[in-house]
Amino acid sequence: MSEVLVLVDHVDGAVRKPTYELLTIAKRLGEPSAVFIGEVGKGAEVAEKVKKYGAEKVYVVDDAQIKGYLVAPKAEALQQVAEKVSPAAILIPSNVEGKEIAGRLAIKLESGLITDAVDVSADGGAPVTTQSVFAGNYTVTAKVTKGTPIITVKPNSAAPQESEGAGSVEEFSAEISDSAKGAQIVATQPRKATGRPDLNEAAIIVSGGRGTGGDFAPVEGLADALGGAVGASRAAVDSGWIPHSFQIGQTGKTVSPQLYIAAGISGAIQHRAGMQTSKTIVAVNKDEEAPIFELVDFGVVGDLKTVLPAATDEVNKRKG
Amino acid sequence: MNILVCVKYVPDATADRRFEDDNTVDRVGVDGLLSELDEYAVEQALQLKEKAGEASDGQSVEVTALCVGPEKAVDAVRKALQMGADKAIHVVDDAIAGSDAAATSLVLAKAVEKAGSEGGVDLVMCGMASTDGSMSVVPAMLAERLSWPQVTMASVVETQGDQVRIKRDGDTATEVIGATMPLVLSVTDQSGEARYPSFKGIMAAKKKPLETWSLSDIGVDAGEVGLSAAWTAVEDTTERPPRSQGEIVKDEDGSGAIALTEFLAAKKFI
Ligand SMILES: Cc1cc2nc3c(=O)[nH]c(=O)nc-3n(C[C@H](O)[C@H](O)[C@H](O)COP(=O)(O)OP(=O)(O)OC[C@H]3O[C@@H](n4cnc5c(N)ncnc54)[C@H](O)[C@@H]3O)c2cc1C
Ligand SMILES: Nc1ncnc2c1ncn2[C@@H]1O[C@H](COP(=O)(O)O)[C@@H](O)[C@H]1O
């Protein structure tokens, strides 16, 4: 069986959940191999984690020549691994960096690229992807017809399945060209942890819009009672009430949680683009004509400043 | 300094966007316009031009809009000129229809090379994503084809001589990225509102140079682009069934919160 390369999503060696989802998908297509671009010393630790989800091999690429630069060196390293192992497919996490690595890699390998897959299945070994397009109004299935299929996969596209792989570590030394080092990371400021679930991974999201008037406490209160993450509309972000990393929508994050609660959000098409594939949608809005109500499974016409805190109390009471 | 701004003509997001029988995006039957996200790139290019104009030792900056798209895409090109771009290049050729991101980046790269054959191009500026395809990969692919660095997803852009610095708000961190021109830059919708064309701008645009290039003008073989040369194939497109509206209750004296909690409990979210 051919190897399927999975680029490990991690922060300083701490493996992130999408990696396990990608490995689970890789297993449908062939033999999963993880590619860890990071600190060599952390390779063994990463291998221990990824082998539980089926990784047979773990290519460890030292990032000393890579980490100070944007995207291009990672694409070069992946190209070299791919040229060595001739994989059946390459799976990359669908985030900003992942998509850009994939874009460069596709040109290098003269291979077809599909981005933002929400599902991948095997059709006689060849991957068939499912994507959600036009603000979630269409579902598209597609295939790569040239070269090695390169697919970026969105978070939550598969339930990670445990399956013991060999997890054998192979150090891979990549040659990074000077021209790949053109864009230098001059400064990095890690985002402060909120203590709440990550928006991309959360099963429940409570979002606030302009209707909060700048006070996110009711939104945060309900999110905490339900164990969910906090999101926002662009209007709330543009008003400076909450950082851009919380924005849901076309130019923010696209999420698909089990439950999405929109409070004080009108439901503009650009906002819908980021949330309308959520399983269950709830809205609280004082305007019964607000377009968000067209999508909801349950809606409350009312003032979020009273409805949210009262619901939070109710939820907490029920939890006992 | 020469700046090329890549602007795409896209179907209006507020109209009914759909697919053709061959599963390509319907770009003719649906009204189109300049992709809103590319307006931010035009805006940042114009701001760089204005800043250079204010500086005493200011080198002059020329902003050229570059668009690959069908005949009707000239509307998008004109809008960029009305906003304030100095000139424009529209690459149009029947063979381009149905091109994927890889082929689009090839056409753009060859157009950048031709545009740069006299005077050179220092900066290619893009939007963060096209509002129809929304892959956000063309800038990276273009940079790869040109063998240039990319500094992408900028919320703040600063230049000094041939040095560029951007701020990028990533998923796990905010980064400052530095690079030397020439390079490909993309900007987000956090970079600052795009201006509306003024009446003066609209009038002036009519006299600005607008060149139309075909594939042979830029040395691209028709067989390298279009639907048949695509590296990916759409198998099937299905419209999502519209969501049916659920129960809507009016809050009266706290009844809304109780009903909401009951709904959440029934769905086992509590
Ligand atoms: C290129 C582009 C990209 C965009 N990308 C995004 C994106 O990624 N994400 C995004 O969200 N938007 C995006 N937008 C903006 C989008 O078009 C809307 O402007 C935005 O979503 C509106 O945010 P909102 O619903 O919070 O505000 P509004 O539309 O102003 O709605 C506020 C709502 O709150 C309700 N309300 C007010 N007070 C209360 C109260 N006390 N209790 C209950 N309800 C109350 C009102 O009835 C109203 O329905 C984009 C726009 C453009 C042009
Ligand atoms: N056909 C095109 N003509 C000009 N620029 C384009 C075209 N397609 C994409 N671009 C540029 O590439 C950016 C990202 O596009 P995409 O990768 O399609 O999301 C856009 O914001 C444009 O700046």
Side-chain angles (χ1 to χ4, degrees), chain A residues 174-199:
Chain A
E175 296 282 333
I176 305 302
S177 69
D178 284 340
S179 73
K181 296 180 187 164
Q184 216 178 342
I185 301 170
V186 182
T188 307
Q189 188 163 33
R191 210 169 287 296
K192 270 194 227 94
T194 57
R196 298 194 179 92
D198 185 277
L199 261 182

Side-chain angles (χ1 to χ4, degrees), chain A residues 191 194 196 199 206-210 212 214-217 219-220 229-248, chain B residues 190:
Chain A
R191 210 169 287 296
T194 57
R196 298 194 179 92
L199 261 182
V206 185
S207 281
R210 201 192 314 270
T212 60
D215 180 11
F216 261 68
V219 172
E220 290 166 351
V230 169
S233 73
R234 192 175 94 170
V237 172
D238 284 353
S239 304
W241 300 337
I242 186 162
H244 178 250
S245 54
F246 291 86
Q247 184 179 316
I248 308 290
Chain B
Q190 296 292 302

Side-chain angles (χ1 to χ4, degrees), chain A residues 51-176:
Chain A
K51 74 187 241 195
K52 291 207 183 75
Y53 294 86
E56 297 295 337
K57 288 199 187 120
V58 183
Y59 298 101
V60 175
V61 183
D62 179 20
D63 71 352
Q65 298 280 313
I66 296 178
K67 69 168 177 245
Y69 309 95
L70 202 65
V71 179
K74 285 192 182 159
E76 258 185 13
L78 260 186
Q79 173 192 17
Q80 289 164 25
V81 177
E83 279 169 352
K84 180 172 168 240
V85 309
S86 304
I90 303 172
L91 305 181
I92 298 175
S94 215
N95 48 40
V96 168
E97 188 190 37
K99 286 205 272 189
E100 292 182 347
I101 293 172
R104 282 194 174 253
L105 187 62
I107 300 299
K108 285 178 192 291
L109 297 175
E110 296 193 15
S111 292
L113 163 64
I114 293 173
T115 55
D116 293 319
V118 293
D119 196 14
V120 185
S121 58
D123 174 13
V128 180
T129 60
T130 305
Q131 292 158 289
S132 170
V133 305
F134 288 167
N137 288 333
Y138 276 85
T139 305
V140 169
T141 55
K143 264 187 180 169
V144 166
T145 51
K146 183 160 194 256
T148 308
I150 304 172
I151 302 167
T152 74
V153 183
K154 294 201 66 114
N156 278 330
S157 296
Q161 251 158 38
E162 292 201 16
S163 125
E164 199 64 24
S168 52
V169 172
E170 267 184 45
E171 276 188 35
F172 184 94
S173 66
E175 296 282 333
I176 305 302

Side-chain angles (χ1 to χ4, degrees), chain A residues 11 16 70-72 95-97 99-100 103-104 106-108 110-116 123 128 133-146 179 182-191 200 204 222 226 234 237-238 244-245 247 250-251 253 258-259 261 269-270 276-282 284 288 293-303 306-308 310-311 314-315 318-319, chain B residues 11 13-15 17-19 25-26 36-37 40 100-102 105 128 130-137 139-145 147-153 165-166 168-180 186 188-190 193 229-241 243-252 254 256-265 267 269-270:
Chain A
V11 179
R16 300 176 84 201
L70 202 65
V71 179
N95 48 40
V96 168
E97 188 190 37
K99 286 205 272 189
E100 292 182 347
R104 282 194 174 253
I107 300 299
K108 285 178 192 291
E110 296 193 15
S111 292
L113 163 64
I114 293 173
T115 55
D116 293 319
D123 174 13
V128 180
V133 305
F134 288 167
N137 288 333
Y138 276 85
T139 305
V140 169
T141 55
K143 264 187 180 169
V144 166
T145 51
K146 183 160 194 256
S179 73
Q184 216 178 342
I185 301 170
V186 182
T188 307
Q189 188 163 33
R191 210 169 287 296
N200 285 315
I204 297 179
L222 185 57
L226 294 168
R234 192 175 94 170
V237 172
D238 284 353
H244 178 250
S245 54
Q247 184 179 316
Q250 187 193 348
T251 54
K253 294 197 162 65
Q258 298 299 318
L259 171 66
I261 303 182
I269 174 130
Q270 294 91 351
Q276 73 175 346
T277 57
S278 304
K279 308 294 173 299
T280 300
I281 299 176
V282 169
V284 179
E288 61 184 323
F293 284 126
E294 291 161 19
L295 322 176
V296 300
D297 298 285
F298 190 83
V300 179
V301 180
D303 191 334
T306 53
V307 175
L308 259 43
E314 269 312 300
V315 170
R318 283 188 188 239
K319 286 199 300 191
Chain B
T14 54
R17 294 179 292 183
R18 52 180 179 255
F19 287 96
V25 176
D26 181 353
E36 275 173 311
L37 294 174
Y40 294 93
D100 61 2
S105 70
M128 65 187 288
S130 38
T131 54
D132 55 345
S134 208
M135 289 176 74
S136 296
V137 293
M141 286 181 159
L142 180 57
E144 179 66 31
R145 289 194 185 273
S147 299
W148 286 3
Q150 67 186 83
V151 291
T152 39
M153 299 289 174
R165 271 198 181 205
I166 64 148
R168 166 168 161 132
D169 295 310
D171 243 2
T172 52
T174 299
E175 292 167 331
V176 177
I177 316 285
T180 308
S186 79
T188 70
D189 62 336
Q190 296 292 302
E193 276 308 308
W231 296 355
T232 54
V234 171
E235 306 255 290
D236 193 29
T237 59
T238 28
E239 196 168 357
R240 260 179 88 90
R243 294 188 81 106
S244 50
Q245 196 182 52
E247 193 190 346
I248 312 273
V249 301
K250 263 208 170 84
D251 176 48
E252 268 153 39
I258 308 257
L260 172 57
T261 316
E262 261 154 26
F263 173 82
L264 296 177
K267 290 269 185 181
F269 287 122
I270 303 177

